[in-house]
Amino acid sequence: MRHAAATLGSGNLQLAVVLPEGEDLNEWIAVNTVDFFNQINMLYGTISEFCTPTKCEVMSAGPKYEYHWADGVQIKKPLKCSAPRYIDYLMTWVQSQLDNEEVFPSAVGVPFSKNFMSIAKTILKRLFRVYAHIYHQHFSDVMGLGEEAHLNTSFKHFIYFVQEFNLIDRRELAPLQELIDKLISRDKEKYK
Amino acid sequence: PPLTTRTRRVKKYSPEAYKFYMEQHIENVIKGYKARSSRRWQLEKEMTKFSLPDDTKSEMRKMLFKKESNYIRLKRAKIDLDMFQMIK
């Protein structure tokens, strides 16, 4: 992958993802998850016209990885569908989780549910797939819109965050592992 | 259930809007991190200046942590119309 060139000129994002002293872990995971969802939602919204059922017949991340949709509730048997449909299911599902007060309580003082962390992990695992699809199938579209620095920075922040708290299995990250190594090693040079 | 065009939740965004949002957002992430660290550091400095007893110090720290935590929760909460009661 040759894409990991430009990022936004900013400070060290790796320090910014660390759990602040005295902060509740769930609260920290929640606020960041919402932010990443908004970023990915907007990003995909800028390239959605290029991601059509004919151009992206399946939800893929390069030739080696293909995803089938199942949410375990409405769709139990993994459904092979086009990328735009898959991403539609995915974003709708994530939105419904974020809107669920039992999972993401918004009133001060209401505690998180016991299964919050496992839901957050599933959300982040699925959001990663949208990044993976965009990098593999739509990077030239992203370049055409001049968004590559923004995407790289968004993705790098996401990766620092999920790595800091071990939120996504290494196996799941495989479609973009090369890019991840590249983005991180460049930062190591910059902030050593 | 099949997703129709009507139920599609993916909205179009202009690249300019996305880029502007990202530039602001990353700047705010870095600023927010620095500001939070500095509030924490400021509290320690003040408490040392007034040589507060240890248990008072720990109470003050807890209060700051609570405020910080509530603040990020409020940042996450969306405001919509049904949160307001119509008076007139």
Side-chain angles (χ1 to χ4, degrees):
Chain A
M1 276 205 202
R2 297 162 289 104
H3 332 304
T7 49
L8 298 180
S10 56
N12 191 348
L13 285 169
Q14 196 172 12
L15 292 175
V17 300
V18 175
L19 181 70
E21 190 190 353
E23 187 52 82
D24 173 54
L25 179 62
N26 288 341
E27 199 69 64
W28 188 241
I29 304 278
V31 71
N32 280 285
T33 301
V34 171
D35 280 346
F36 289 124
F37 170 75
N38 290 335
Q39 290 175 42
I40 295 167
N41 191 39
M42 266 186 119
L43 165 70
Y44 185 71
T46 68
I47 58 114
S48 59
E49 61 187 300
F50 307 110
C51 188
T52 62
T54 35
K55 272 195 212 153
C56 298
E57 275 177 34
V58 291
M59 174 65 178
S60 62
K64 281 197 284 184
Y65 301 92
E66 189 177 308
Y67 303 111
H68 297 172
W69 180 255
D71 58 14
V73 184
Q74 283 178 317
I75 299 171
K76 292 200 169 108
K77 188 173 167 274
L79 173 76
K80 186 173 173 167
C81 59
S82 71
R85 175 171 280 223
Y86 183 101
I87 291 172
D88 230 335
Y89 278 131
L90 190 159
M91 297 308 266
T92 307
W93 177 81
V94 175
Q95 182 77 68
S96 73
Q97 299 299 313
L98 302 184
D99 290 344
N100 184 346
E101 282 289 324
E102 298 199 357
V103 185
F104 284 82
S106 64
V108 166
V110 180
F112 284 91
S113 60
K114 282 207 180 76
N115 61 350
F116 171 77
M117 195 58 88
S118 88
I119 296 173
K121 282 181 174 174
T122 308
I123 293 174
L124 292 161
K125 176 177 83 181
R126 290 177 173 169
L127 288 178
F128 169 84
R129 295 173 179 176
V130 184
Y131 279 124
H133 178 71
I134 293 175
Y135 268 113
H136 280 281
Q137 316 301 139
H138 298 288
F139 200 76
S140 59
D141 302 323
V142 167
M143 297 259 285
L145 299 172
E147 294 172 341
E148 63 273 26
H150 303 76
L151 166 58
N152 286 334
T153 302
S154 169
F155 181 61
K156 188 171 75 177
H157 188 202
F158 179 87
I159 288 300
Y160 276 140
F161 180 73
V162 299
Q163 288 189 339
E164 175 71 19
F165 304 103
N166 248 317
L167 299 166
I168 304 182
D169 276 356
R170 213 184 143 77
R171 199 163 38 93
E172 281 284 336
L173 299 177
L176 293 176
Q177 194 58 55
E178 211 184 307
L179 172 70
I180 293 169
D181 295 342
K182 204 164 170 180
L183 282 170
I184 285 175
S185 71
R186 281 159 43 95
D187 261 21
K188 278 200 181 122
E189 277 302 303
K190 205 164 152 192
Y191 298 109
K192 74 179 165 198
Chain B
L3 287 171
T4 62
T5 343
R6 197 177 52 80
T7 59
R8 277 196 76 164
R9 74 142 270 118
V10 170
K11 284 197 206 95
K12 275 193 182 181
Y13 285 99
S14 84
E16 288 69 31
Y18 168 67
K19 285 189 265 191
F20 181 75
Y21 173 80
M22 277 310 300
E23 285 159 21
Q24 296 290 307
H25 180 73
I26 293 296
E27 208 181 297
N28 288 337
V29 166
I30 302 288
K31 260 197 220 156
Y33 157 72
K34 287 184 179 158
R36 189 170 180 160
S37 315
S38 108
R39 286 191 292 272
R40 176 73 184 96
W41 177 81
Q42 185 76 21
L43 177 68
E44 285 306 317
K45 208 176 73 174
E46 300 281 320
M47 291 195 303
T48 313
K49 197 163 99 189
F50 295 102
S51 10
L52 296 181
D54 281 351
D55 52 341
T56 312
K57 278 188 183 175
S58 118
E59 279 306 305
M60 301 282 277
R61 281 185 204 113
K62 265 193 218 153
M63 273 164 60
L64 175 70
F65 295 155
K66 189 87 214 138
K67 275 193 177 174
E68 295 282 7
S69 195
N70 289 346
Y71 171 68
I72 63 167
R73 174 163 295 200
L74 290 173
K75 254 175 51 177
R76 187 163 54 77
K78 286 184 291 279
I79 294 174
D80 56 51
L81 216 57
D82 54 329
M83 293 168 85
F84 296 90
Q85 209 182 349
M86 208 63 100
I87 295 176
K88 208 178 170 185

